[in-house]
Tab-separated table of all heavy atoms in Angstrom:
chain	number	residue	atom	x	y	z
E	28	PHE	N	13.152	3.872	42.527
E	28	PHE	CA	14.567	3.990	42.846
E	28	PHE	C	15.330	4.919	42.013
E	28	PHE	O	16.468	5.463	42.295
E	28	PHE	CB	15.239	2.623	42.779
E	28	PHE	CG	15.309	2.057	41.402
E	28	PHE	CD1	16.396	2.262	40.612
E	28	PHE	CD2	14.356	1.209	40.883
E	28	PHE	CE1	16.489	1.714	39.281
E	28	PHE	CE2	14.375	0.630	39.593
E	28	PHE	CZ	15.508	0.977	38.828
E	29	GLN	N	14.772	5.339	40.844
E	29	GLN	CA	15.355	6.358	39.935
E	29	GLN	C	15.184	7.767	40.521
E	29	GLN	O	15.837	8.651	40.221
E	29	GLN	CB	14.655	6.328	38.563
E	29	GLN	CG	14.942	5.050	37.811
E	29	GLN	CD	16.313	4.998	37.275
E	29	GLN	OE1	17.033	5.904	37.463
E	29	GLN	NE2	16.615	3.897	36.570
E	30	LEU	N	14.213	7.905	41.516
E	30	LEU	CA	13.929	9.322	42.061
E	30	LEU	C	14.654	9.406	43.383
E	30	LEU	O	14.543	10.478	43.996
E	30	LEU	CB	12.419	9.421	42.324
E	30	LEU	CG	11.598	9.205	40.990
E	30	LEU	CD1	10.111	9.207	41.350
E	30	LEU	CD2	11.893	10.367	40.083
E	31	ALA	N	15.519	8.474	43.644
E	31	ALA	CA	16.181	8.583	45.104
E	31	ALA	C	17.054	9.798	45.150
E	31	ALA	O	17.196	10.357	46.190
E	31	ALA	CB	16.972	7.385	45.378
E	32	ASN	N	17.741	10.175	44.091
E	32	ASN	CA	18.663	11.412	44.135
E	32	ASN	C	18.028	12.646	43.600
E	32	ASN	O	18.666	13.646	43.365
E	32	ASN	CB	19.979	11.050	43.292
E	32	ASN	CG	20.678	9.938	44.005
E	32	ASN	OD1	20.800	9.876	45.079
E	32	ASN	ND2	21.208	9.016	43.057
E	33	VAL	N	16.604	12.652	43.377
E	33	VAL	CA	15.965	13.874	42.934
E	33	VAL	C	15.808	14.870	44.160
E	33	VAL	O	15.099	14.292	45.016
E	33	VAL	CB	14.691	13.597	42.260
E	33	VAL	CG1	14.028	14.863	41.943
E	33	VAL	CG2	14.991	12.750	40.884
E	34	ASN	N	16.389	15.943	44.162
E	34	ASN	CA	16.282	16.830	45.302
E	34	ASN	C	15.283	17.911	45.178
E	34	ASN	O	14.893	18.611	46.076
E	34	ASN	CB	17.699	17.387	45.784
E	34	ASN	CG	18.647	16.204	46.041
E	34	ASN	OD1	18.293	15.429	46.889
E	34	ASN	ND2	19.854	16.365	45.635
E	35	SER	N	14.836	18.150	43.880
E	35	SER	CA	14.036	19.293	43.678
E	35	SER	C	12.444	18.952	43.908
E	35	SER	O	11.687	19.927	43.947
E	35	SER	CB	14.173	19.702	42.156
E	35	SER	OG	13.931	18.774	41.294
E	36	HIS	N	12.204	17.755	43.883
E	36	HIS	CA	10.796	17.255	44.054
E	36	HIS	C	10.754	16.097	45.007
E	36	HIS	O	11.585	15.233	44.976
E	36	HIS	CB	10.067	16.866	42.729
E	36	HIS	CG	10.112	17.961	41.783
E	36	HIS	ND1	11.000	18.429	40.992
E	36	HIS	CD2	8.973	18.841	41.575
E	36	HIS	CE1	10.675	19.485	40.275
E	36	HIS	NE2	9.339	19.812	40.593
E	37	GLU	N	9.662	15.956	45.837
E	37	GLU	CA	9.455	14.757	46.654
E	37	GLU	C	9.148	13.550	45.681
E	37	GLU	O	8.276	13.638	44.896
E	37	GLU	CB	8.285	15.078	47.524
E	37	GLU	CG	7.762	13.852	48.230
E	37	GLU	CD	8.087	13.809	49.676
E	37	GLU	OE1	8.500	14.884	50.328
E	37	GLU	OE2	8.053	12.778	50.176
E	38	PRO	N	9.853	12.457	45.822
E	38	PRO	CA	9.567	11.260	45.047
E	38	PRO	C	8.144	10.827	45.062
E	38	PRO	O	7.625	10.401	43.958
E	38	PRO	CB	10.527	10.249	45.611
E	38	PRO	CG	11.694	10.948	46.177
E	38	PRO	CD	10.995	12.245	46.732
E	39	THR	N	7.556	10.809	46.176
E	39	THR	CA	6.113	10.351	46.141
E	39	THR	C	5.284	11.305	45.399
E	39	THR	O	4.276	10.781	44.590
E	39	THR	CB	5.716	10.480	47.686
E	39	THR	OG1	6.490	9.562	48.419
E	39	THR	CG2	4.217	9.988	47.813
E	40	MET	N	5.499	12.727	45.381
E	40	MET	CA	4.715	13.533	44.567
E	40	MET	C	4.903	13.297	43.069
E	40	MET	O	3.884	13.303	42.313
E	40	MET	CB	5.123	14.986	44.890
E	40	MET	CG	4.300	16.003	44.147
E	40	MET	SD	4.775	17.660	44.577
E	40	MET	CE	6.373	17.762	43.673
E	41	VAL	N	6.235	12.963	42.733
E	41	VAL	CA	6.484	12.757	41.322
E	41	VAL	C	5.690	11.497	40.814
E	41	VAL	O	5.055	11.484	39.754
E	41	VAL	CB	7.987	12.567	41.035
E	41	VAL	CG1	8.222	12.050	39.625
E	41	VAL	CG2	8.730	13.840	41.385
E	42	MET	N	5.766	10.478	41.614
E	42	MET	CA	5.093	9.195	41.324
E	42	MET	C	3.511	9.410	41.267
E	42	MET	O	2.876	8.933	40.323
E	42	MET	CB	5.413	8.095	42.308
E	42	MET	CG	6.844	7.765	42.131
E	42	MET	SD	7.385	7.171	40.559
E	42	MET	CE	6.376	5.634	40.297
E	43	ASN	N	3.069	10.229	42.215
E	43	ASN	CA	1.555	10.445	42.150
E	43	ASN	C	1.248	11.276	40.886
E	43	ASN	O	0.157	10.943	40.265
E	43	ASN	CB	1.101	11.212	43.420
E	43	ASN	CG	1.126	10.405	44.585
E	43	ASN	OD1	1.152	9.081	44.520
E	43	ASN	ND2	1.186	10.942	45.796
E	44	ASN	N	1.944	12.259	40.487
E	44	ASN	CA	1.721	12.954	39.388
E	44	ASN	C	1.770	12.201	38.116
E	44	ASN	O	1.044	12.250	37.183
E	44	ASN	CB	2.680	14.234	39.258
E	44	ASN	CG	2.363	15.286	40.221
E	44	ASN	OD1	1.250	15.269	40.904
E	44	ASN	ND2	3.299	16.193	40.479
E	45	VAL	N	2.886	11.262	37.995
E	45	VAL	CA	2.882	10.426	36.823
E	45	VAL	C	1.769	9.490	36.723
E	45	VAL	O	1.245	9.255	35.575
E	45	VAL	CB	4.341	9.663	36.859
E	45	VAL	CG1	4.395	8.541	35.795
E	45	VAL	CG2	5.453	10.648	36.716
E	46	THR	N	1.358	8.910	37.786
E	46	THR	CA	0.193	7.988	37.928
E	46	THR	C	-1.021	8.708	37.331
E	46	THR	O	-1.759	8.120	36.557
E	46	THR	CB	0.020	7.490	39.313
E	46	THR	OG1	1.215	6.745	39.702
E	46	THR	CG2	-1.197	6.472	39.386
E	47	ALA	N	-1.307	9.946	37.875
E	47	ALA	CA	-2.393	10.798	37.511
E	47	ALA	C	-2.350	10.994	35.984
E	47	ALA	O	-3.293	11.011	35.265
E	47	ALA	CB	-2.515	12.093	38.309
Side-chain angles (χ1 to χ4, degrees):
F28 70 87
Q29 294 286 359
L30 301 172
N32 294 321
V33 174
N34 297 319
S35 60
H36 295 82
E37 165 106 22
T39 303
M40 182 181 69
V41 173
M42 293 306 293
N43 289 341
N44 288 343
V45 170
T46 300

